[in-house]
Amino acid sequence: MSVKVRFAPSPTGYLHAGNVRTAIVTWLFARSQDGHFLLRIDDTDTERSKPEYEEDIESAMMWLGMDWDEKTRQRDRTDRYNELIEKLKTDGRLYACYETPEELSLKRKTLLGRGKPPIYDRAALELTDEQKTAYKAEGRSPHWRFKLNHEPIEWDDLVRGEVRFNGADLSDPVLIRETGLPLYHLCSVIDDMDYDMTHVVRGEDHVSNTATHIQMFEALGAPVPTFVHLPMISDTEGGKLSKRLGSMSARDFRDNEKLEPMSIVSLLSRLGSADPIMPFTSIKPLVDEFDISKFSKGAPKFDMEELLRLNSKIIHQTPFEDVNVRLAHMDMEELDEDFWHAIRPNLGKLEDIKEWWDVVSGNVEPIIEDPDFAAQAAELLPPEPWNENTWKEWTEKVKETTGRKGKDLFMPLRQALTGMDHGPELGALLPLLGAEKVRQRLTKHKQAA
Ligand code: GLU
């Protein structure tokens, strides 16, 4: 039986780092098994779900290089859900409850106050027909709970190993709201059944949901998929992923941080796995080497510094043909392959190249405080061809001749060549500028005078 998996985000916000990780691991699992990958939009929450978030999910997936074989939306499947709701009602697995949220919260508090777990007491099962009629007359509409069997629930999780629950320790989950709207648990199980999911990969925040879902699969007469619960990502101190990172979205990585998609894929595909985290410039080797059994259940740490390091290493390996279109969109269409190769090792992010490009190709206004020194330095320029050692060779000579050193030597040269007192490394810049431009900039003051 070939692998069929899904990634099931709710379109209630931008796709965040935790979900991106679930998507990548699920996608790699599918692709490494020649399996089928379904993108399922869990939009049962009609108030919070928005088309712009659904678009964001799709564009983030495409940016990260993840395609899907099929897509479905829960809101398009209402008829199917209703059909199976009728079956579960007939079978006595769904029961009507009339408690208000306030009444439920009071019950919970009372139980907790007595040191007991806040498990729903099933009072609704005892309601007589008269009581139900009275509630309806009051204008109350029922919500519906799934009646769990009070028996052991066990599964062999591909990451967590043997997991055990008992139905008696869990509240009967609410599957249908007062409004008649079926909720996530029910829709998810019906979809997993109808789309023949062989595996369900998701965050460990769903572990106890899984226990109830297993009984729902059984109640619907469906095979139970294999579960894979990935641990939640923590921050570098081992705490919950901090607010800033927790809310960090693929869109932030792309539009604000301006990171390479492969740096995110490289990090999140292996975070928490025994495989080493390395910079990958393409997703293919990650597919080839992917092994779900290498993931462990300890919470892995997300380190922004590590992501930035991967990003720069990826840029350093990126061939010109993979960036030239992007550079053109950044108004650097004349930037050629030689420039790319010379500057690439100095970049942390692709956009850093702009500063280098402006210095080399732009109309730089040299800053020259000591025109004689600048002119003297111009005289000492080594003959072309220039390479990455030319800067050292030249400044050694200038040092010997003028007796200047350290900041007094380097700052005036930087200011003359770049018009700035900080910026790109001059050793790499010099050969790109070439003797003519360098001489012009050093002697600009003299010519103007
Ligand atoms: N929409 C759910 C979530 O984002 C899906 C969980 C699942 O994969 O079943 O948490």
Side-chain angles (χ1 to χ4, degrees), residues 189-238:
V189 169
I190 295 176
D191 289 345
D192 287 339
M193 166 176 111
D194 284 353
Y195 287 85
D196 303 317
M197 292 297 122
T198 58
H199 296 73
V200 168
V201 183
R202 58 188 171 201
E204 71 178 8
D205 49 338
H206 286 287
V207 169
S208 60
N209 290 339
T210 294
T212 67
H213 291 188
I214 287 176
Q215 287 206 1
M216 290 179 220
F217 282 109
E218 289 166 352
L220 292 168
V224 178
T226 300
F227 290 94
V228 186
H229 290 95
L230 298 169
M232 304 320 249
I233 304 173
S234 70
D235 64 18
T236 42
E237 272 83 52

Coordinates of all heavy atoms in Angstrom, one line a residue, residues 189-238:
V189 N -11.4 13.4 10.9 CA -11.5 11.9 10.8 C -12.2 11.5 9.5 O -11.7 10.6 8.8 CB -12.2 11.3 12.1 CG1 -12.5 9.9 11.9 CG2 -11.3 11.6 13.3
I190 N -13.3 12.1 9.2 CA -14.0 11.7 8.0 C -13.1 12.0 6.7 O -13.0 11.1 5.8 CB -15.3 12.5 7.8 CG1 -16.3 12.1 9.0 CG2 -16.0 12.3 6.5 CD1 -17.6 12.9 9.0
D191 N -12.4 13.1 6.7 CA -11.5 13.3 5.6 C -10.4 12.3 5.5 O -10.1 11.7 4.5 CB -10.9 14.7 5.7 CG -11.9 15.8 5.4 OD1 -13.0 15.5 4.8 OD2 -11.6 17.0 5.7
D192 N -9.8 12.0 6.7 CA -8.7 11.0 6.7 C -9.2 9.7 6.2 O -8.5 8.9 5.5 CB -8.1 10.9 8.1 CG -7.3 12.1 8.5 OD1 -6.8 12.8 7.6 OD2 -7.0 12.3 9.7
M193 N -10.4 9.4 6.5 CA -11.0 8.1 6.1 C -11.3 8.2 4.5 O -10.9 7.3 3.8 CB -12.3 7.9 6.8 CG -13.2 6.8 6.3 SD -14.7 6.6 7.4 CE -16.0 7.3 6.4
D194 N -12.0 9.2 4.1 CA -12.4 9.3 2.7 C -11.2 9.4 1.7 O -11.3 9.0 0.6 CB -13.4 10.5 2.5 CG -14.8 10.2 3.0 OD1 -15.0 9.0 3.4 OD2 -15.6 11.1 3.0
Y195 N -10.2 10.1 2.2 CA -9.0 10.3 1.3 C -8.0 9.2 1.6 O -6.8 9.3 1.1 CB -8.4 11.7 1.5 CG -9.3 12.8 0.9 CD1 -10.4 13.3 1.6 CD2 -9.1 13.2 -0.4 CE1 -11.2 14.3 1.0 CE2 -9.9 14.2 -1.0 CZ -10.9 14.7 -0.2 OH -11.7 15.6 -0.8
D196 N -8.3 8.2 2.3 CA -7.5 7.0 2.5 C -6.1 7.3 3.0 O -5.1 6.8 2.4 CB -7.3 6.2 1.1 CG -8.6 5.8 0.5 OD1 -9.5 5.3 1.3 OD2 -8.8 6.0 -0.7
M197 N -6.0 8.1 4.0 CA -4.7 8.5 4.6 C -4.1 7.2 5.2 O -4.8 6.5 6.0 CB -4.9 9.5 5.7 CG -5.3 10.9 5.1 SD -4.0 11.5 4.0 CE -4.9 11.7 2.5
T198 N -2.9 6.9 4.9 CA -2.2 5.8 5.5 C -1.5 6.3 6.8 O -1.3 5.5 7.7 CB -1.1 5.2 4.6 OG1 -0.2 6.2 4.2 CG2 -1.8 4.6 3.3
H199 N -1.1 7.6 6.8 CA -0.4 8.1 7.9 C -0.9 9.5 8.2 O -1.3 10.2 7.3 CB 1.1 8.3 7.6 CG 1.8 7.0 7.4 ND1 1.7 6.2 6.2 CD2 2.7 6.3 8.2 CE1 2.4 5.1 6.3 NE2 3.1 5.1 7.5
V200 N -0.9 9.9 9.5 CA -1.3 11.2 9.9 C -0.1 11.8 10.6 O 0.3 11.3 11.7 CB -2.5 11.2 10.8 CG1 -2.7 12.6 11.5 CG2 -3.8 10.8 10.0
V201 N 0.5 12.8 10.0 CA 1.7 13.5 10.6 C 1.2 14.8 11.2 O 0.7 15.6 10.4 CB 2.8 13.7 9.6 CG1 4.1 14.3 10.2 CG2 3.2 12.4 8.8
R202 N 1.4 15.1 12.5 CA 1.0 16.4 13.0 C 1.8 16.6 14.3 O 2.5 15.8 14.8 CB -0.5 16.5 13.2 CG -1.1 15.4 14.1 CD -2.6 15.5 14.0 NE -3.2 14.4 14.7 CZ -4.4 14.0 14.5 NH1 -5.2 14.6 13.6 NH2 -5.0 13.0 15.1
G203 N 1.6 17.8 14.9 CA 2.3 18.2 16.1 C 1.8 17.4 17.3 O 0.6 16.9 17.3
E204 N 2.6 17.3 18.3 CA 2.3 16.5 19.5 C 1.2 17.2 20.3 O 0.6 16.5 21.2 CB 3.5 16.2 20.4 CG 4.0 17.4 21.1 CD 5.2 17.0 22.0 OE1 5.7 15.9 21.9 OE2 5.6 17.9 22.7
D205 N 0.8 18.4 20.0 CA -0.4 19.0 20.7 C -1.6 18.3 20.3 O -2.7 18.5 20.9 CB -0.5 20.5 20.3 CG -0.4 20.8 18.8 OD1 0.2 20.0 18.1 OD2 -0.8 21.9 18.4
H206 N -1.6 17.4 19.4 CA -2.8 16.6 19.0 C -2.8 15.2 19.6 O -3.7 14.4 19.2 CB -2.9 16.5 17.4 CG -3.3 17.8 16.8 ND1 -4.6 18.3 16.9 CD2 -2.6 18.7 16.1 CE1 -4.7 19.4 16.2 NE2 -3.4 19.7 15.8
V207 N -1.8 14.9 20.4 CA -1.8 13.5 20.9 C -3.1 13.0 21.6 O -3.6 11.9 21.2 CB -0.6 13.3 21.9 CG1 -0.6 11.9 22.6 CG2 0.7 13.3 21.1
S208 N -3.6 13.8 22.5 CA -4.8 13.3 23.1 C -6.0 13.4 22.2 O -7.0 12.6 22.3 CB -5.1 14.1 24.4 OG -5.3 15.4 24.1
N209 N -6.0 14.3 21.2 CA -7.1 14.2 20.2 C -7.0 12.9 19.4 O -8.0 12.3 19.1 CB -6.8 15.3 19.1 CG -7.1 16.7 19.7 OD1 -7.8 16.9 20.7 ND2 -6.6 17.7 19.0
T210 N -5.8 12.5 19.2 CA -5.6 11.2 18.4 C -6.3 10.1 19.1 O -7.0 9.2 18.5 CB -4.1 10.9 18.2 OG1 -3.6 11.9 17.4 CG2 -3.9 9.6 17.6
A211 N -6.2 10.0 20.5 CA -6.9 9.0 21.2 C -8.4 8.9 20.9 O -9.0 7.9 20.6 CB -6.7 9.1 22.7
T212 N -9.0 10.1 20.8 CA -10.4 10.2 20.5 C -10.7 9.9 19.1 O -11.7 9.2 18.7 CB -11.1 11.5 20.9 OG1 -10.6 12.5 20.1 CG2 -10.8 11.9 22.4
H213 N -9.8 10.3 18.2 CA -10.0 10.1 16.8 C -10.0 8.6 16.5 O -10.7 8.1 15.6 CB -8.9 10.8 16.0 CG -9.0 12.3 16.0 ND1 -8.2 13.1 15.2 CD2 -9.8 13.1 16.7 CE1 -8.5 14.4 15.4 NE2 -9.4 14.4 16.4
I214 N -9.1 7.9 17.2 CA -9.0 6.4 16.9 C -10.4 5.8 17.1 O -10.9 5.0 16.3 CB -7.9 5.8 17.8 CG1 -6.6 6.2 17.2 CG2 -8.1 4.2 17.8 CD1 -5.4 5.7 18.0
Q215 N -11.1 6.2 18.2 CA -12.4 5.6 18.4 C -13.4 6.1 17.3 O -14.4 5.3 17.0 CB -12.9 6.0 19.8 CG -12.2 5.2 20.9 CD -13.0 5.0 22.2 OE1 -14.2 5.5 22.2 NE2 -12.5 4.3 23.1
M216 N -13.2 7.3 16.8 CA -14.1 7.7 15.8 C -13.9 6.9 14.5 O -14.9 6.6 13.8 CB -13.9 9.2 15.5 CG -14.3 10.1 16.6 SD -14.0 11.9 16.2 CE -13.5 12.4 17.8
F217 N -12.6 6.7 14.1 CA -12.4 5.8 12.9 C -13.1 4.5 13.1 O -13.8 4.0 12.2 CB -10.9 5.6 12.8 CG -10.1 6.7 12.2 CD1 -9.2 7.4 12.9 CD2 -10.2 7.0 10.8 CE1 -8.5 8.5 12.4 CE2 -9.5 8.0 10.3 CZ -8.6 8.8 11.0
E218 N -13.0 3.9 14.3 CA -13.6 2.6 14.6 C -15.1 2.7 14.5 O -15.7 1.9 13.9 CB -13.1 2.1 15.9 CG -11.7 1.7 15.9 CD -11.0 1.4 17.3 OE1 -11.7 1.8 18.3 OE2 -9.9 1.0 17.3
A219 N -15.7 3.8 15.0 CA -17.1 4.0 15.0 C -17.6 4.1 13.5 O -18.7 3.7 13.2 CB -17.5 5.2 15.8
L220 N -16.8 4.7 12.7 CA -17.2 4.8 11.3 C -16.8 3.6 10.4 O -17.0 3.6 9.2 CB -16.5 6.1 10.7 CG -17.0 7.4 11.3 CD1 -16.0 8.6 10.8 CD2 -18.4 7.7 10.8
G221 N -16.2 2.6 11.1 CA -15.8 1.4 10.3 C -14.6 1.6 9.4 O -14.5 0.9 8.4
A222 N -13.8 2.6 9.7 CA -12.6 2.9 8.8 C -11.4 2.4 9.4 O -11.2 2.3 10.6 CB -12.5 4.4 8.7
P223 N -10.4 2.0 8.6 CA -9.1 1.6 9.1 C -8.4 2.8 9.8 O -8.6 4.0 9.4 CB -8.3 1.2 7.8 CG -9.0 1.8 6.7 CD -10.4 2.0 7.1
V224 N -7.7 2.5 10.9 CA -7.0 3.6 11.6 C -5.6 3.8 11.0 O -4.8 2.9 10.9 CB -6.8 3.2 13.1 CG1 -6.1 4.2 13.9 CG2 -8.2 2.9 13.7
P225 N -5.3 5.1 10.6 CA -4.0 5.3 10.0 C -2.9 5.2 11.1 O -3.2 5.1 12.3 CB -4.1 6.8 9.5 CG -5.3 7.4 10.2 CD -6.2 6.3 10.7
T226 N -1.7 5.2 10.6 CA -0.5 5.2 11.5 C -0.2 6.7 11.9 O -0.3 7.5 11.0 CB 0.7 4.6 10.7 OG1 0.4 3.3 10.3 CG2 2.0 4.6 11.6
F227 N 0.1 6.9 13.1 CA 0.3 8.3 13.6 C 1.7 8.6 13.8 O 2.5 7.8 14.2 CB -0.5 8.5 14.9 CG -2.0 8.6 14.6 CD1 -2.8 7.4 14.8 CD2 -2.6 9.7 14.2 CE1 -4.1 7.4 14.5 CE2 -4.0 9.7 13.9 CZ -4.7 8.6 14.1
V228 N 2.0 9.9 13.5 CA 3.4 10.4 13.7 C 3.2 11.8 14.4 O 2.7 12.7 13.7 CB 4.1 10.6 12.3 CG1 5.5 11.0 12.5 CG2 3.9 9.4 11.4
H229 N 3.5 11.9 15.6 CA 3.4 13.1 16.3 C 4.8 13.8 16.5 O 5.6 13.2 17.2 CB 2.7 13.0 17.7 CG 1.3 12.6 17.5 ND1 0.8 11.4 17.5 CD2 0.2 13.4 17.3 CE1 -0.5 11.4 17.4 NE2 -0.9 12.6 17.2
L230 N 5.0 14.9 15.9 CA 6.3 15.6 16.0 C 6.3 16.5 17.2 O 5.3 17.1 17.5 CB 6.5 16.5 14.8 CG 6.5 15.7 13.4 CD1 6.5 16.7 12.3 CD2 7.8 14.9 13.3
P231 N 7.4 16.5 18.0 CA 7.4 17.3 19.2 C 7.3 18.8 18.8 O 7.7 19.2 17.7 CB 8.8 17.0 19.8 CG 9.6 16.5 18.7 CD 8.6 15.8 17.8
M232 N 6.9 19.6 19.7 CA 6.8 21.1 19.4 C 8.3 21.6 19.5 O 9.1 21.1 20.2 CB 6.0 21.8 20.5 CG 4.6 21.3 20.7 SD 3.9 20.9 19.1 CE 2.7 22.1 19.0
I233 N 8.5 22.7 18.7 CA 9.8 23.3 18.7 C 10.0 24.2 19.9 O 9.0 25.0 20.2 CB 10.0 24.0 17.4 CG1 9.7 23.1 16.2 CG2 11.4 24.7 17.3 CD1 9.7 23.9 14.8
S234 N 11.1 24.2 20.5 CA 11.3 25.2 21.6 C 12.4 26.2 21.2 O 13.0 26.0 20.2 CB 11.7 24.5 22.9 OG 13.0 23.9 22.8
D235 N 12.5 27.2 22.0 CA 13.6 28.2 21.7 C 14.9 27.7 22.2 O 15.0 26.6 22.8 CB 13.2 29.6 22.2 CG 13.1 29.6 23.8 OD1 13.7 28.7 24.4 OD2 12.5 30.5 24.3
T236 N 15.9 28.5 22.1 CA 17.3 28.1 22.4 C 17.5 27.7 23.9 O 18.3 27.0 24.2 CB 18.4 29.1 22.0 OG1 17.9 30.4 22.4 CG2 18.7 29.1 20.5
E237 N 16.6 28.3 24.7 CA 16.7 28.0 26.2 C 15.9 26.8 26.6 O 15.9 26.4 27.7 CB 16.3 29.2 27.0 CG 17.4 30.2 27.3 CD 17.5 31.2 26.2 OE1 16.5 31.8 25.8 OE2 18.7 31.4 25.7
G238 N 15.2 26.2 25.6 CA 14.4 25.1 25.9 C 13.0 25.4 26.3 O 12.2 24.5 26.6

